[in-house]
Amino acid sequence: MTSRLTEINIDCADPGRLAQFWCAALGYIVLDATDDLVEIGPARGADAELLAAVRRGPLAPSIFLARVPEGKAAKNRLHLDLSPIDTTQAAEVARLERLGARSADVGQTGAESWIVMADPEGNEFCVLRSLAPGEFDL
């Protein structure tokens, strides 16, 4: 018996603003929204189709962005890793910066193959090597 990763939850001050960033970064859409909670994820079909797909195998998880009163206090203990699929790592970093991300220092040495960034609310994430044709081939 196994479980599936179906949702990721991120506490934040402004769920709508953070949803805009992550939708643009990941190609997700807003699936449901209130003032205090926004769910984003890949476009999906009817609930019965989604349930059947989840039972068959892993799918990209949705992300819940929940308003909380306290601010971010320290480095994340869990973070997202993004892999560019149709551009170089440097071009993807530049695109994410235009969307509101910034470079982040979490103690990296500079020898890493990934780039540490932070979303508009300071949540760290990494941009890994590009998987684009010509950048990464098997």
Side-chain angles (χ1 to χ4, degrees):
M1 182 163 289
T2 61
S3 293
R4 300 274 188 253
L5 175 62
T6 55
E7 290 96 17
I8 296 170
N9 294 274
I10 300 175
D11 291 347
C12 59
D14 187 345
R17 178 174 178 246
L18 215 50
Q20 288 177 338
F21 171 80
W22 284 109
C23 280
L26 299 172
Y28 276 19
I29 62 168
V30 173
L31 300 171
D32 194 23
T34 66
D35 288 343
D36 294 327
L37 184 67
V38 178
E39 179 186 10
I40 64 172
R44 60 184 188 204
D47 287 346
E49 294 170 6
L50 178 61
L51 179 59
V54 168
R55 287 178 174 156
R56 280 193 304 273
L59 298 175
S62 61
I63 298 174
F64 282 86
L65 302 152
R67 185 183 312 276
V68 296
E70 66 276 357
K72 184 176 179 300
K75 177 184 170 289
N76 294 2
R77 293 190 63 167
L78 176 79
H79 68 266
L80 304 179
D81 286 342
L82 308 183
S83 296
I85 59 166
D86 58 4
T87 190
T88 66
Q89 181 188 51
E92 182 65 356
V93 166
R95 183 183 79 88
L96 293 166
E97 288 174 335
R98 288 190 302 275
L99 293 172
R102 60 179 171 74
S103 296
D105 183 356
V106 295
Q108 59 268 38
T109 66
E112 294 83 5
S113 61
W114 59 88
I115 298 176
V116 181
M117 301 189 79
D119 71 16
E121 289 202 12
N123 300 300
E124 296 92 8
F125 65 95
C126 294
V127 180
L128 306 182
R129 71 182 181 275
S130 175
L131 302 178
E135 294 288 319
F136 182 84
D137 295 308
L138 297 176

